[in-house]
Amino acid sequence: MSTVLTIVLIFQYVVLAYFALLNLGYTLFGYLGLRSIVVYSRELSQITLRDLLARESYKPVSILVPAYNEETCIVDSVRSFLGLRYPEFEVVVVSDGSTDATVDRLIEAFALLEVPAVYRRALPSAAVKRMFRSARHPNLVVLEKENGGKADALNAAIDVARYPLVCAVDADSLLDADALLRATRPFLEDENVVAIGGTIRPLNGARVVDGRVVELAMPKSWLARLQILEYARAFFSGRAGWSHFDALLIISGAFGVFRRDAVINVGGYLVGTVGEDMELVVRLHRHYRERHEAYRILFTPDPICWTEVPTDWATLRGQRNRWHRGLWETLWTHRALMFNPQYGRLGTFAVPYFLVFEALAPIVEAFGWIAMPLAIALGIFNTSFAIWFLILSVLYGMLLSQLAVGIETLLLQRYPRLRDRLALFAASFIEFLGYRQLLVFERCLATLLVFRRRGVWGRMKRAGVTHEQAAP
Amino acid sequence: MWRRWGDYLYAVLVLVVFGAEALALIVLSLAFFARIVGLLAYGRLIELMIAVVLLTCISLAVVMMHVLVYMAMSAYRERSRKARGQRWTELFVAWMFDRTVELPARFPREAIDALLELRETIRGEDGVALGALIEARGIAAKLTKRARSRRLAARLHAIEGLAKARVPSALEVAYELLDDETPVVRFMATRVIARTLAAFPGLDRRRFVTALRTHELPGGVVEEALLLLDDAAGSVIGDLLSVDRVPPRLARAALDAVGRATDTNHDEVARAVVHFVAHPDPELRAAAMQAAARMHLREPALTELIAGAAGGEIEFVRMQATRALGVIDQERALRVLWERLRDVSWWVRRAAAETLPTLGPPGLALLTRASNEHPDRFARHMAHHVLMEAELGGAP
């Protein structure tokens, strides 16, 4: 019995140490994120943006929009991309074997005309069936190709892209009007920058006019509210912190700007993985570090991309399952980096952190939940200690959420009402009443299925966001 | 866009709150370990745990209260400052039209912001008068002092103010800040100098040329500064390019600004561009050919150089040479472009097809002919494709 007790005690200690280390990490990243925002908001001022526009000091950008069965949102999204404030850009939409009316909607809305598919194939991709150009928008190109997955569609779009920077976005995303100006600025200031990630914010509940978010309101769905907290924590704390250490491993697939030649040099997006966004970033790191070439991969807190988050459990679980499998797939593909000092802080710190505190986190948490009934059954459950520890972890989680929410209030476009703030405060507590546990379960499931379901995407059901047209 | 008010205070609050929490977590971990090895009584551990829970409760309440108070205060402040700023702007506009309009002895913060914003918008004589007002009221001096502050946020805020003010007295501190250890400060200081020199063409530009040569600024920043110089750009670019052994990074930035900045059609610039078209560095050669095309530089010396480069070995040089063929003798250009339509490089073929329509009706006729009759299949495809794009209005 004493051996079992010792094991349980040691396990409890490991869990506590894990909890302490994880939260110390979050704390540090939270502070660094905030610090970077303080500086960033001043260095990229309005006059800098005005100078960029007025003097045409910029690098032209190709916006890449992979689309699979996006008939409900594709026209509004493309319209919003075409309305961006940027001197020179093109929009390349790739319908990746859509079986719905995605291409028909585009043909109708933008007066597309079929043109010969003449472009240089630097990256392999599934066969392109048709290529269109718009009679109304010279900077719109649409490809219709065989289904090959998101990575394959992005590779085809990179082939067609004619500008030195490419910006990968999701078909259901909206960009702030100045997002490209802000995202491309670091490429001008530092020739070593190869990729930039921006902030993603949930679109649900927002009022959208002419493809622009004009007003924020708390979505009615609690599931969406909980994700507002998650996105705030991930982007305002986590990524800004990693970027500070020059060890950013993820640039969200919903919005990232890359140097086209750099992406081509590493072979483009990896087909057959569900974590193609993270995989590409890790491969870029690896490529430059192995060649001892100077490079930078950065996160900037303010080009902002808006995306619709799932409002039903099935879609949310599918999405989180996919994200977690994507993480495992990337860690497995690049296992050579793990604890490898040859890759600097990437190998010694960032990749091991992602293994221990991201990939394995749901398993540790699940063990904690399993250990509880086990301890009760063995008669060694210490109720008072367990309750206090539970209260502490909930409070700490709420504190981290409120830190990120506090950063959100510094944005000009924030949730403006007092009741929104109170809803977010309530959400930071509610997430511990089943939401978190269900997602832990889903991520554990993803860990078990990672090799069986390699590259399987699943379906995303969209509720759709109402777009308004501005009054003439 | 971010609010610039309250962020510093929040950063300090977060540092304090989470510093305390981090300490508490470390103490708790050590206490737990001490309990396992029997150095700490169970009761003491629980007491410690309760203390950490209480601390976290207080931290949460403090952060939450701060967020709510900040929300309310920032919303109120923005509304009131906007209204006051609007009144100040109206007063300064009235002063611009009638200099006898009385201005208050002291300018509050929103007046300074309104004045700097107005200075940013208004050019010409009125702009200079606003600049003089900024200097006379000590605003420039105050910004200069803050630009030397130890706090980065304050420094950046002040430098932005100086960039808007565009006053000669800002130049000294701006040159000084080119040696700052923070890259973004150096970049912003470069912009201050360029904007000020553009506003006062009589000021000495040679110091700026020297500063650009002696400071390791990224090409993009140099190029932007040159573009910001407006009418002063030509002479600065000419000076930069005519210097012996100009660093390639700087030459590239200057060549990239040629033809894009206003008033760069100087003889000195033209001579430098011709010189760089024959430069041994392929990147500079390509940049010079792009510059020649933008300037529509019709120098006899360029004909052989560009036509020769269009058949060279390096793909990107060939592509830029092909695009620059528009500046040489048309008959020769048409012959070379027909040839380049069957280049092994897709990009060169595209450049050739896209350049032809820029040569007017003869070029368009040749492109049409190429789409039907060119002996090379790839040349025909490319010509056809570009023709279709041109019909759709997509040709560059």
Side-chain angles (χ1 to χ4, degrees):
Chain A
M1 191 66 181
S2 69
T3 316
V4 176
L5 204 63
T6 312
I7 291 171
V8 171
L9 271 174
I10 289 171
F11 176 70
Q12 281 181 348
Y13 179 71
V14 169
V15 168
L16 186 75
Y18 185 88
F19 170 81
L21 271 174
L22 181 65
N23 286 306
L24 283 174
Y26 285 154
T27 304
L28 178 68
F29 289 153
Y31 174 69
L32 291 173
L34 188 52
R35 196 168 161 266
S36 75
I37 286 165
V38 170
V39 174
Y40 176 85
S41 66
R42 284 160 182 84
E43 68 182 51
L44 199 60
S45 60
Q46 272 302 318
I47 67 157
T48 313
L49 295 184
R50 275 203 291 264
D51 285 348
L52 278 173
L53 272 177
R55 315 296 153 169
E56 303 213 332
S57 176
Y58 62 87
K59 282 181 189 279
V61 181
S62 300
I63 301 173
L64 318 178
V65 192
Y68 177 72
N69 290 350
E70 304 280 4
E71 62 179 8
T72 54
C73 63
I74 191 71
V75 171
D76 287 318
S77 296
V78 171
R79 203 166 272 146
S80 93
F81 296 139
L82 288 169
L84 286 171
R85 204 158 74 104
Y86 201 73
E88 192 178 358
F89 69 97
E90 63 172 356
V91 178
V92 183
V93 183
V94 181
S95 171
D96 186 41
S98 295
T99 51
D100 67 355
T102 300
V103 175
D104 296 336
R105 295 267 186 283
L106 289 168
I107 290 174
E108 195 185 327
F110 300 104
L112 297 184
L113 296 168
E114 193 174 343
V115 294
V118 178
Y119 63 93
R120 185 184 202 180
R121 281 165 223 265
L123 299 170
S125 66
V128 170
K129 292 196 278 193
R130 291 189 292 175
M131 185 172 177
F132 301 91
R133 277 188 179 273
S134 167
R136 286 189 209 132
H137 303 275
N139 57 341
L140 173 62
V141 184
V142 175
L143 284 187
E144 189 185 19
K145 64 181 274 291
E146 302 282 355
N147 183 263
K150 187 179 175 186
D152 192 72
L154 283 166
N155 285 341
I158 291 168
D159 273 345
V160 172
R162 54 183 296 169
Y163 292 135
L165 298 180
V166 291
C167 171
V169 292
D170 278 351
D172 61 329
S173 300
L174 297 179
L175 296 180
D176 267 354
D178 286 340
L180 280 186
L181 275 175
R182 292 173 179 282
T184 55
R185 175 78 202 164
F187 289 95
L188 282 180
E189 289 185 346
D190 188 345
E191 282 134 22
N192 294 326
V193 173
V194 293
I196 292 281
T199 299
I200 315 289
R201 298 182 73 189
L203 180 62
N204 307 48
R207 192 166 151 244
V208 179
V209 178
D210 284 344
R212 296 279 163 268
V213 174
V214 293
E215 196 184 341
L216 279 182
M218 200 47 56
K220 288 192 177 68
S221 153
W222 274 97
L223 218 47
R225 291 178 181 187
L226 294 169
Q227 289 171 81
I228 291 172
L229 286 180
E230 288 183 310
Y231 276 73
R233 280 198 305 256
F235 286 93
F236 297 141
S237 302
R239 302 212 179 161
W242 284 113
S243 179
H244 179 87
F245 287 116
D246 271 335
L248 182 69
L249 291 191
I250 305 180
I251 287 178
S252 169
F255 181 57
V257 183
F258 298 84
R259 240 173 52 198
R260 183 175 176 272
D261 62 340
V263 178
I264 290 175
N265 282 345
V266 298
Y269 283 89
L270 182 68
V271 179
T273 177
V274 288
E276 80 297 327
D277 44 5
M278 182 181 183
E279 198 283 329
L280 175 66
V281 176
V282 176
R283 196 145 33 91
L284 282 168
H285 275 295
R286 208 173 160 175
H287 174 88
Y288 287 98
R289 282 184 189 256
E290 282 170 357
R291 283 159 187 75
H292 303 288
E293 290 174 22
Y295 76 102
R296 292 189 79 192
I297 294 175
L298 300 174
F299 167 81
T300 57
D302 179 19
I304 286 178
C305 171
W306 302 88
T307 194
E308 193 192 332
V309 299
T311 49
D312 65 286
W313 272 107
T315 309
L316 179 69
R317 285 180 54 195
Q319 184 195 53
R320 296 311 162 91
N321 189 303
R322 177 163 53 79
W323 285 1
H324 206 68
R325 279 185 289 122
L327 171 63
W328 273 114
E329 283 176 12
T330 304
L331 290 175
W332 179 251
T333 307
H334 296 282
R335 57 191 178 279
L337 272 72
M338 196 71 69
F339 302 109
N340 188 340
Q342 189 199 334
Y343 295 97
R345 61 185 74 167
L346 206 71
T348 51
F349 181 47
V351 176
Y353 176 95
F354 270 80
L355 173 70
V356 176
F357 292 115
E358 295 286 345
L360 290 174
I363 294 170
V364 174
E365 202 170 329
F367 264 117
W369 291 112
I370 293 165
M372 232 189 298
L374 196 72
I376 293 170
L378 289 170
I380 53 168
F381 185 71
N382 189 324
T383 314
S384 65
F385 181 84
I387 288 172
W388 283 115
F389 187 72
L390 194 67
I391 292 172
L392 179 63
S393 57
V394 169
L395 283 174
Y396 214 93
M398 289 174 73
L399 186 58
L400 289 169
S401 294
Q402 290 311 311
L403 156 73
V405 166
I407 295 177
E408 190 264 350
T409 57
L410 296 171
L411 275 166
L412 286 184
Q413 207 160 37
R414 63 188 178 187
Y415 293 97
R417 282 172 284 270
L418 175 68
R419 64 169 188 269
D420 296 341
R421 293 290 131 194
L422 296 175
L424 286 176
F425 184 72
S428 68
F429 176 70
I430 289 170
E431 77 171 324
F432 289 93
L433 304 178
Y435 176 83
R436 218 183 138 92
Q437 291 77 4
L438 262 169
L439 292 188
V440 163
F441 170 75
E442 194 59 49
R443 288 160 71 198
C444 284
L445 206 64
T447 306
L448 296 174
L449 293 175
V450 66
F451 286 106
R452 261 183 56 198
R453 296 191 66 203
R454 198 176 170 110
V456 179
W457 268 72
R459 295 183 76 83
M460 167 91 178
K461 195 176 125 196
R462 300 195 195 288
V465 173
T466 312
H467 290 252
E468 298 172 27
Q469 300 285 320
Chain B
M1 280 295 291
W2 298 86
R3 286 180 171 76
R4 292 178 181 191
W5 178 75
D7 53 352
Y8 204 78
L9 177 69
Y10 189 51
V12 172
L13 175 80
V14 167
L15 188 65
V16 171
V17 164
F18 283 93
E21 287 293 326
L23 203 65
L25 280 178
I26 292 167
V27 169
L28 197 63
S29 302
L30 292 175
F32 205 83
F33 185 72
R35 167 71 193 144
I36 286 176
V37 294
L39 289 174
L40 191 74
Y42 175 72
R44 294 289 294 162
L45 179 70
I46 291 293
E47 277 171 27
L48 208 60
M49 182 87 106
I50 293 169
V52 175
V53 166
L54 283 176
L55 177 73
T56 313
C57 264
I58 293 166
S59 301
L60 184 59
V62 169
V63 171
M64 186 65 195
M65 283 310 293
H66 176 90
V67 168
L68 291 179
V69 170
Y70 176 74
M71 277 283 292
M73 281 185 68
S74 58
Y76 169 77
R77 188 176 179 270
E78 276 150 29
R79 273 195 307 274
S80 61
R81 284 200 68 175
K82 196 175 171 187
R84 286 203 300 271
Q86 184 65 38
R87 284 198 294 275
W88 278 105
T89 305
E90 283 164 13
L91 183 65
F92 289 129
V93 170
W95 177 84
M96 265 189 341
F97 287 112
D98 176 8
R99 301 286 153 82
T100 60
V101 168
E102 284 263 326
L103 294 174
R106 278 195 68 237
F107 288 165
R109 199 168 160 174
E110 50 269 34
I112 295 173
D113 288 347
L115 184 56
L116 289 172
E117 209 48 55
L118 206 59
R119 169 70 176 120
E120 170 64 13
T121 318
I122 309 283
R123 309 268 152 161
E125 274 179 31
D126 288 334
V128 174
L130 287 170
L133 183 64
I134 288 168
E135 295 216 85
R137 290 305 183 93
I139 298 167
K142 208 180 283 179
L143 290 171
T144 303
K145 194 177 165 201
R146 290 191 74 202
R148 294 187 174 109
S149 157
R150 290 176 69 181
R151 270 179 48 201
L152 180 61
R155 208 150 83 228
L156 292 173
H157 195 84
I159 301 170
E160 189 194 339
L162 291 174
K164 283 181 184 168
R166 285 174 285 149
V167 289
S169 63
L171 284 176
E172 204 48 52
V173 72
Y175 279 116
E176 205 178 288
L177 290 170
L178 287 179
D179 292 314
D180 195 278
E181 59 180 15
T182 313
V184 68
V185 171
R186 297 199 294 273
F187 305 162
M188 287 179 74
T190 313
R191 278 205 291 276
V192 172
I193 300 169
R195 286 169 140 258
T196 309
L197 291 179
F200 295 91
L203 291 174
D204 179 21
R205 298 163 200 169
R206 277 168 304 181
R207 188 175 176 192
F208 190 43
V209 174
T210 312
L212 289 176
R213 290 195 64 215
T214 50
H215 290 85
E216 283 283 321
L217 293 163
V221 174
V222 174
E223 185 187 329
E224 188 195 31
L226 295 173
L227 296 176
L228 283 171
L229 281 167
D230 287 342
D231 291 347
S235 65
V236 172
I237 291 172
D239 282 352
L240 274 177
L241 291 177
S242 58
V243 173
D244 279 341
R245 290 194 296 276
V246 55
R249 168 187 54 84
L250 214 54
R252 174 73 198 266
L255 287 167
D256 284 344
V258 169
R260 292 167 64 208
T262 51
D263 192 33
T264 51
N265 281 332
H266 284 206
D267 287 347
E268 201 181 1
V269 176
R271 274 197 303 277
V273 168
V274 174
H275 164 76
F276 277 100
V277 168
H279 199 275
D281 182 335
E283 289 217 10
L284 293 181
R285 228 159 47 227
M289 283 186 279
Q290 276 180 290
R294 279 196 301 270
M295 287 175 84
H296 306 290
L297 190 60
R298 296 197 173 273
E299 288 277 337
L302 283 177
T303 303
E304 282 309 318
L305 288 171
I306 292 178
E313 280 181 11
I314 303 169
E315 185 193 32
F316 71 87
V317 178
R318 231 162 47 235
M319 185 181 81
Q320 295 308 341
T322 303
R323 291 200 184 278
L325 283 165
V327 301
I328 70 167
D329 162 61
Q330 196 178 70
E331 203 178 314
R332 178 86 185 269
L334 288 172
R335 271 205 316 275
V336 179
L337 284 168
W338 177 267
E339 214 29 57
R340 294 279 59 85
L341 271 172
R342 63 168 175 209
D343 195 283
V344 288
S345 159
W346 185 90
W347 292 107
V348 178
R349 293 202 298 276
R350 173 136 195 140
E354 286 179 346
T355 307
L356 276 167
T358 66
L359 298 182
L364 201 57
L366 192 68
L367 185 65
T368 312
R369 211 182 107 209
S371 73
N372 297 316
E373 297 173 20
H374 202 291
D376 186 272
R377 177 164 63 95
F378 295 107
R380 286 199 303 277
H381 282 175
M382 185 59 81
H384 178 60
H385 184 71
V386 170
L387 271 174
M388 279 198 76
E389 283 187 339
E391 281 167 23
L392 291 175

